[in-house]
Amino acid sequence: MSYLSNGLVAQPHGAVKTQIVQTDDGFRIQRGANPYFIKGAGGTGQLEKLRDYGGNSVRTWSTKDAGTILDEAHRLGLTVTLGLQMGVERHGFDYNDTKAVAEQLQRVRREVEQYKDHPALLAWGIGNELNLHYSNPKVWDAVNEVAIMIKQLDNNHLVTTMLAGINKKEIDLIKTKCSALDLIAVQVYGGLASVPQQLKTAGWDKAYMVTEWGPTGHWESLQTPWKASIEESSSEKAAVYKARYEASIAKDNHCVGSYVFLWGQKQERTPTWYGLFTEKGEESEVIDVMQYLWKGTWPKNRAPHLDAALLDNKKATDFIYLQPDQKYPLSLVVNDPDNDDLQTRWELLPESTDLKEGGDRESRPKALQGHVQALSHQQAELTTPHTGGAYRLFVYVSDGHNHVATANIPFFVQNDHPTDQSPTPTNYAFSNTPSWADEFNYNGLPDQSKWSYDVGSKHQGWGNNELQYYTEANTANVLVKNGVLQITARKEQKGGMNYTSARLVSKGKGDFLYGRFEARAKLPTGRGTWPAIWMLPTTWTYGGWPSSGEIDIMEHVGYDQDVVHVSVHTKAYHHSINTQKTATKKIAHASQEFHTYRVDWTPEYIKGFIDDLEIFHFTNEKTGFEVWPFDQKFHWLINLAIGGNWGGSQGVSDDIFPAKLEVDYVRVYDLLP
């Protein structure tokens, strides 16, 4: 028996028995005689680097070149979760077509027979995101037929299917229809940290793996008014990869491992969004993080760190409009941990228009030459194109050791030509003085002419499995004192719950259609706290949540200190189907200082601000209430929840109580005609 450099045993030949084993507190993979935790990557290039950085497995999407991939993985001591391609509805496959389904089953059978005895094989992955934009539940019957067939041919390897996001409907269908699966696989991006709680809420109590995870997805990101998604820099990605992995995959005993996306490079919205490598094969800061997560040590030489990329002294989140044929300054704030000499290259592309779903192949826009003059590794000058429209400027800062920092800035060139396609948003304005407000310049209970209370612990913790009981007009939980509203959560039993708190609502006393909504608040600390300042519809015109909408002016969860969220939820866009529209910003001292949170709500958009900096933009697509239910009256809610699907996904620290949310004021400014 020989041992490889990463400590894995090189199997000489034949299949290696792999199974799921239940433990006292969860599940694990048993491969041969040894426990096995997947430290994997999606993609089949750079496999030697994957091994050297501490990875132990790769995942494919089909059996294309499977023999070569399996052989190379075996040589390096890696395993493979081998994808079995299945027809998808969005590409026209009909699961009512019994002949097509039978032919697919036979094709997959041949693939399984060909590779089932390979020593590098770990698991079979049936299809990829078959639940994405589908309507026919017979797909799960087909998945189970494939799983049964595999079990008949191969009792040595795990069988799973890859799901886009986590949805109770699909979990229920899989539990009912797919009994032959050994585990499920989920693919989640911005919501990775909440996966353990989401699966628990959806009723999945068995083993799972995460077969795709990575940066904040383009569908989750802040969008410009011209619908260009704003991408995180490589350094921002490195931070979220680390935080989300440590909050979920590394901690959940039901998770048997994961495959980071993408160990390679591809064009999907941009050439840099999902790949951990550039087109030149350079390694980003995310790879440094992956070595740390897999091996517990940082690389000896690390990638450059990019703090800011500015065009015309503006960030991408400032929604940059420029004039044609004009010169604008470019600047970077970038450093190298090893003090290596840095070199910078710039590339200007038209905004991509070949946009697909589910990772389908996209074409790369052709670069525009001669528009950027480099002045130093941190300074340059852009000359804008003559033609109006949407563009994106990319920057790559390399350290001379194949490491790189990346960022890009979308911008829009406006001109007066008749063919110009620039958006023409209405210039909305708001009153200078509030039409409705509570300055909390009194003492005692909140003003009953403006506020009522939600009481109790209804709907399984208000629909989120929260752990508090909301009291009514109880000064232990809600009090105005010294010019500040104080909502206090306490560890005490009431109504069958272990905590008490309060939730104020303005329904029937402050209901609004459009306007500027602003609150100044200081947030609580502590794992398990979940404060929110938000809005719900007063009459639920389009039906129950999320059909009639929700506007979240400020949300914060205690396990992710100082990271504040602004979001909207609609029937088309909400977290339960992994399409939520949200933005986050980390602000200093959110729990030690007061900060201002606001949304501007107009007939055309909802914008979110923290301390007057715009971080969120949601546009009325004018396609119906499913996307835009925000043409009805909404009211305020202010509360401090404890635990729940999100706030309690990492538990509750009982040494933090009493926990307190403080609000200096809430104000509403009318939208001017």
Side-chain angles (χ1 to χ4, degrees):
M1 184 176 294
S2 60
Y3 290 83
L4 300 166
S5 60
N6 59 0
L8 297 173
V9 177
Q11 301 292 333
H13 55 78
V16 181
K17 179 72 174 180
T18 305
Q19 56 191 325
I20 297 292
V21 176
Q22 188 163 3
T23 65
D24 291 340
D25 56 358
F27 298 88
R28 61 174 169 81
I29 292 175
Q30 184 86 8
R31 186 167 190 263
N34 302 308
Y36 189 87
F37 188 79
I38 300 170
K39 300 177 181 180
T44 56
Q46 308 277 9
L47 292 188
E48 289 196 6
K49 289 185 176 180
L50 176 65
R51 176 201 61 187
D52 293 344
Y53 298 156
N56 63 11
S57 191
V58 296
R59 174 256 172 128
T60 74
W61 284 258
S62 73
T63 57
K64 182 181 179 182
D65 300 325
T68 301
I69 294 165
L70 286 161
D71 288 347
E72 178 67 1
H74 179 53
R75 183 182 73 82
L76 296 170
L78 307 174
T79 64
V80 180
T81 289
L82 196 61
L84 298 169
Q85 194 166 1
M86 299 278 284
V88 292
E89 279 191 44
R90 68 178 186 273
H91 292 162
F93 194 90
D94 183 3
Y95 278 91
N96 288 321
D97 186 337
T98 56
K99 180 181 178 182
V101 171
E103 290 174 347
Q104 175 174 258
L105 179 63
Q106 292 308 310
R107 187 258 301 162
V108 173
R109 175 188 291 272
R110 292 190 294 271
E111 295 173 355
V112 172
E113 289 174 335
Q114 185 173 0
Y115 300 113
K116 65 184 179 66
D117 295 322
H118 199 287
L121 186 62
L122 178 75
W124 300 101
I126 304 174
N128 185 64
E129 299 189 346
L130 297 174
N131 62 320
L132 184 64
H133 303 309
Y134 88 113
S135 59
N136 191 345
K138 288 183 179 179
V139 65
W140 306 122
D141 297 321
V143 166
N144 200 51
E145 287 178 357
V146 171
I148 291 171
M149 176 271 292
I150 294 174
K151 295 292 187 181
Q152 292 170 346
L153 297 176
D154 174 15
N155 63 359
N156 289 315
H157 301 109
L158 305 177
V159 183
T160 188
T161 188
M162 286 68 172
L163 301 176
I166 298 166
N167 185 289
K168 189 176 189 303
K169 171 188 170 185
E170 270 69 61
I171 295 296
D172 288 344
L173 284 168
I174 287 171
K175 288 165 66 176
T176 302
K177 291 176 172 285
C178 299
S179 59
L181 295 178
D182 294 302
L183 72 169
I184 60 169
V186 297
Q187 307 193 155
V188 182
Y189 287 81
L192 179 66
S194 62
V195 161
Q197 184 60 48
Q198 286 183 7
L199 284 171
K200 182 179 179 181
T201 302
W204 186 261
D205 58 1
K206 301 179 182 179
Y208 72 94
M209 66 173 84
V210 182
T211 42
E212 277 187 31
W213 66 276
T216 304
H218 58 265
W219 64 94
E220 301 168 307
S221 300
L222 177 65
Q223 283 194 335
T224 69
W226 57 93
K227 300 188 183 301
S229 296
I230 295 177
E231 180 180 348
E232 296 159 328
S233 71
S234 57
S235 296
E236 290 170 325
K237 290 175 187 176
V240 299
Y241 273 70
K242 183 175 183 292
R244 292 169 183 166
Y245 183 97
E246 291 177 334
S248 56
I249 295 165
K251 295 178 63 174
D252 187 8
N253 292 324
H254 285 64
C255 182
V256 297
S258 71
Y259 293 89
V260 67
F261 188 81
L262 169 72
W263 196 262
Q265 184 277 334
K266 69 178 297 194
Q267 168 72 34
E268 188 169 355
R269 277 339 188 247
T270 77
T272 56
W273 202 299
Y274 295 100
L276 277 64
F277 297 82
T278 68
E279 292 160 297
K280 293 178 177 289
E282 299 157 307
E283 302 172 15
S284 76
E285 193 174 345
V286 177
I287 291 182
D288 295 353
V289 164
M290 293 314 304
Q291 175 172 322
Y292 175 80
L293 295 174
W294 287 335
K295 296 180 72 172
T297 60
W298 292 100
K300 291 181 179 179
N301 187 276
R302 297 175 62 176
H305 182 84
L306 183 65
D307 285 310
L310 304 176
L311 168 55
D312 194 27
N313 298 313
K314 299 181 180 70
K315 296 180 180 179
T317 51
D318 293 327
F319 305 154
I320 302 170
Y321 289 89
L322 304 177
Q323 296 301 309
D325 303 313
Q326 299 295 312
K327 295 184 184 298
Y328 294 93
L330 294 163
S331 60
L332 304 173
V333 179
V334 62
N335 64 80
D336 187 82
D338 311 295
N339 295 316
D340 293 326
D341 291 334
L342 299 177
Q343 294 185 335
T344 302
R345 65 183 188 273
W346 300 86
E347 184 177 43
L348 179 63
L349 302 180
E351 186 65 42
S352 179
T353 57
D354 183 25
L355 306 180
K356 304 292 177 58
E357 294 181 292
D360 296 344
R361 183 177 298 276
E362 299 178 6
S363 59
R364 188 191 198 278
K366 186 177 180 181
L368 303 176
Q369 305 297 326
H371 286 273
V372 181
Q373 180 182 2
L375 304 176
S376 71
H377 77 270
Q378 295 192 87
Q379 304 290 328
E381 186 176 70
L382 169 71
T383 301
T384 50
H386 175 73
T387 304
Y391 298 88
R392 196 178 288 252
L393 185 66
F394 292 79
V395 62
Y396 302 82
V397 185
S398 57
D399 67 351
H401 299 283
N402 205 45
H403 302 141
V404 69
T406 66
N408 64 71
I409 306 173
F411 64 93
F412 202 100
V413 174
Q414 295 177 304
N415 61 34
D416 298 325
H417 297 295
T419 58
D420 181 26
Q421 298 298 311
S422 62
T424 56
T426 303
N427 291 320
Y428 288 101
F430 302 89
S431 61
N432 292 322
T433 57
S435 60
W436 189 96
D438 198 335
E439 303 292 333
F440 302 115
N441 291 328
Y442 52 90
N443 292 316
L445 288 169
D447 185 344
Q448 63 180 356
S449 71
K450 294 174 179 170
W451 303 105
S452 302
Y453 301 86
D454 276 337
V455 180
S457 56
K458 302 176 182 178
H459 319 302
Q460 292 184 318
W462 301 96
N464 299 308
N465 294 303
E466 298 161 26
L467 304 177
Q468 78 288 331
Y469 184 97
Y470 285 136
T471 63
E472 181 176 10
N474 184 343
T475 56
N477 297 117
V478 60
L479 182 67
V480 179
K481 182 179 180 181
N482 298 326
V484 173
L485 167 69
Q486 301 175 353
I487 295 180
T488 304
R490 299 181 180 276
K491 182 171 171 53
E492 57 184 1
Q493 292 189 345
K494 186 173 179 65
M497 310 304 282
N498 291 325
Y499 308 91
T500 63
S501 188
R503 180 152 97 179
L504 296 183
V505 296
S506 70
K507 183 177 179 179
K509 301 176 180 181
D511 305 283
F512 314 94
L513 176 62
Y514 309 131
R516 172 169 287 171
F517 302 85
E518 183 176 273
R520 187 168 181 262
K522 184 163 63 174
L523 311 183
T525 61
R527 181 163 49 88
T529 59
W530 183 2
I533 300 172
W534 53 306
M535 302 182 76
L536 281 177
T538 298
T539 59
W540 300 91
T541 302
Y542 302 113
W545 190 95
S547 295
S548 291
E550 174 182 327
I551 303 171
D552 297 321
I553 301 170
M554 183 287 303
E555 284 188 284
H556 179 269
V557 288
Y559 68 78
D560 200 9
Q561 181 62 39
D562 293 335
V563 177
V564 178
H565 301 248
V566 182
S567 312
V568 298
H569 300 278
T570 72
K571 185 175 182 179
Y573 299 122
H574 62 94
H575 61 82
S576 298
I577 57 174
N578 206 34
T579 58
Q580 66 270 26
K581 295 294 185 180
T582 188
T584 62
K585 180 175 176 58
K586 186 162 188 175
I587 57 178
H589 312 302
S591 300
Q592 290 76 43
E593 302 171 353
F594 283 92
H595 293 266
T596 303
Y597 308 98
R598 95 167 195 253
V599 296
D600 290 354
W601 171 23
T602 78
E604 290 191 9
Y605 60 76
I606 295 173
K607 295 181 179 181
F609 301 79
I610 298 178
D611 293 331
D612 296 322
L613 174 67
E614 181 176 342
I615 70 163
F616 176 79
H617 189 112
F618 180 69
T619 301
N620 183 356
E621 299 176 11
K622 301 182 180 177
T623 56
F625 81 87
E626 294 87 353
V627 168
W628 186 268
F630 304 112
D631 55 2
Q632 58 179 315
K633 287 187 176 181
F634 277 61
H635 60 270
W636 289 92
L637 298 94
I638 306 175
N639 62 271
L640 174 52
I642 300 299
N645 299 345
W646 185 22
S649 64
Q650 295 192 28
V652 179
S653 297
D654 281 342
D655 59 356
I656 64 174
F657 296 97
K660 189 176 295 184
L661 166 65
E662 298 181 80
V663 182
D664 184 29
Y665 63 76
V666 294
R667 297 170 182 168
V668 180
Y669 299 84
D670 288 341
L671 178 67
L672 296 177

